[in-house]
C-alpha cells in the first residue's frame, strides 16, 4: 500500500493565485455595480451592437457591393426606402454598406489611437509623479507644452507630413492626445506616493521598478480605464475630422470620408439629406455611447462621485 504524496505549493505561486483571485473578485464586483447604471448599460448595448456589425461587415456586406463596375444599374441619389434602407450615394453605392465598412475604420482608429495615447500618458504621468527633481520637472514641462498646443492642429500637421493612411491617423491622434491623461495620472501618482504602504516598501528597500509596477501602476489603472472609455469617443471625432478635411485614406471607407464626399457634392443644399444626416448621426451615437459607459466607469472607480 503506497502513500499518496502531494507536492507542496510554493509561496510565490500561492501569492500569485491569491492576487488573481482578488482581481477576479474585483472584476465581478465592478460588473455588479456597473449593471446598476442604466445609462452605462444602454451605452454598452449600443457599442456591442455596433462592434458586432463592424466585425460581421464582410458577411453582411461583401466587398462586391462597393465595386462600381457592378453597380452600373443602381440608381444614384436614391432616398431611403425599403429597397435602399439608407439611400444611395452619387455612384449608386448603398449608404448602409459604406456605413458598415466605415465603422470598422472608425472603431479601429478610435481604439488604437486611444491605446497609444493611454500608454504614453500613463508612462509619462507615473514617471513625472514618482521621480522628483529635474526629471519630474522636465517631464511636466513636456506635458504642459502638449497641453498648450491645439491637438487637432498638431494632428493635421502630422497627417499632412506623413504618408496618408489609417496608421498615420492613429499615430497623429495618439501622439497629440496623451497630455491630459498624463496630468491626471501624475496627480493620482502623487496621492499614492504619500500613502503608508508605499513608504513602507521604500523603507524596506523597494526600488523604483518595484514601487512603480507593484504599487503605483495597479493603483492608477482604474482611473486610466475610466479615462480610456471617455477618450475613445474623442479619438473617433478626431478621425472623422481628419478624414473630413481630406487627410484620411481615400481608399478606405470611414464615416469622416462619407461626410467629406457629401460635402464635395453639396449634398446638404442639394436635397440629399440622408448623405449628410446618417453618418453624422452614427458618429454622434457612438460618441454618446462611449460617454455613457465612461461616465458610469468613472463614477464606480471614483469614490467621490460614487458618494454623490
Amino acid at each position: 500500500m503506497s502513500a499518496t504524496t502531494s507536492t507542496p505549493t510554493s509561496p510565490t505561486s500561492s501569492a500569485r493565485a491569491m492576487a488573481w483571485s482578488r482581481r477576479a473578485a474585483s472584476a465581478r464586483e465592478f460588473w455588479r455595480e456597473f449593471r446598476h447604471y442604466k445609462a452605462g448599460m444602454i451605452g454598452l448595448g449600443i457599442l456591442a451592437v455596433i462592434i458586432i456589425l463592424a466585425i460581421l461587415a464582410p458577411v453582411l456586406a461583401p466587398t462586391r457591393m462597393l465595386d462600381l463596375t457592378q453597380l452600373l444599374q443602381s440608381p444614384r441619389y436614391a432616398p431611403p426606402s425599403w429597397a435602399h434602407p439608407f439611400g444611395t450615394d452619387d455612384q449608386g453605392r448603398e449608404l448602409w454598406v459604406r456605413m458598415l465598412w466605415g465603422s470598422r475604420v472608425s472603431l479601429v482608429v478610435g481604439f488604437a489611437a486611444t491605446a497609444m495615447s493611454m500608454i504614453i500618458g500613463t508612462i509619462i504621468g507615473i514617471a513625472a509623479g514618482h521621480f522628483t527633481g529635474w526629471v519630474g520637472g522636465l517631464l511636466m514641462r513636456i506635458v504642459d507644452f502638449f497641453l498648450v498646443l491645439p491637438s487637432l492642429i498638431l494632428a493635421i500637421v502630422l497627417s499632412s507630413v506623413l504618408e496618408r493612411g489609417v496608421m498615420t491617423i492613429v499615430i497623429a491622434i495618439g501622439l497629440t492626445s496623451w497630455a491630459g491623461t498624463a496630468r491626471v495620472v501624475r496627480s493620482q501618482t502623487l496621492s499614492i506616493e504619500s500613502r503608508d504602504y508605499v513608504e513602507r516598501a521604500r523603507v524596506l528597500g523597494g526600488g523604483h521598478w518595484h514601487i512603480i509596477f507593484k504599487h503605483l501602476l495597479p493603483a492608477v489603472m482604474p482611473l486610466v480605464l475610466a479615462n480610456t472609455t471617455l477618450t475613445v469617443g474623442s479619438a473617433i471625432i478626431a478621425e472623422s475630422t481628419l478624414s473630413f478635411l481630406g487627410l484620411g485614406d481615400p481608399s478606405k471607407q470611414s464615416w469622416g470620408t462619407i461626410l467629406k464626399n457629401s460635402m464635395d457634392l453639396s449634398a446638404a443644399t442639394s436635397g440629399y439629406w440622408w448623405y449628410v444626416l446618417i453618418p453624422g448621426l452614427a458618429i454622434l451615437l457612438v460618441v454618446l455611447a462611449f460617454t455613457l459607459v465612461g461616465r458610469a466607469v468613472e463614477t464606480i472607480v471614483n469614490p467621490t462621485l460614487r458618494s454623490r
Side-chain angles (χ1 to χ4, degrees), residues 73-93:
Q73 303 300 323
S74 180
R76 300 183 179 184
Y77 297 119
S81 61
W82 286 109
H84 310 286
F86 284 2
T88 61
D89 62 6
D90 60 302
Q91 295 177 331
R93 293 173 293 185

Side-chain angles (χ1 to χ4, degrees), residues 36 45 104 175 224:
H36 289 89
R104 295 167 66 93
L175 291 180
V224 173

Side-chain angles (χ1 to χ4, degrees), residues 40 52 274 277 293:
I52 291 174
W274 60 91
L277 184 62
V293 173

Side-chain angles (χ1 to χ4, degrees), residues 19-41:
W20 279 108
S21 178
R22 288 195 299 267
R23 291 168 186 168
S26 299
R28 289 192 295 269
E29 179 64 23
F30 175 85
W31 174 243
R32 281 195 296 268
E33 293 188 16
F34 185 86
R35 287 186 300 178
H36 289 89
Y37 293 92
K38 294 182 179 179
M41 290 298 295

Side-chain angles (χ1 to χ4, degrees), residues 40 66 72 74 98 103 105 140 156 160 167-168 175 198 219 226 229 240 261 283 291 306:
L66 295 172
L72 299 179
S74 180
R98 297 188 64 186
S103 64
V105 173
M140 282 309 301
I156 291 174
S160 302
M167 185 56 62
T168 297
L175 291 180
V198 177
T229 54
S240 301
N261 296 152
I283 296 172
T291 302
R306 196 188 317 178

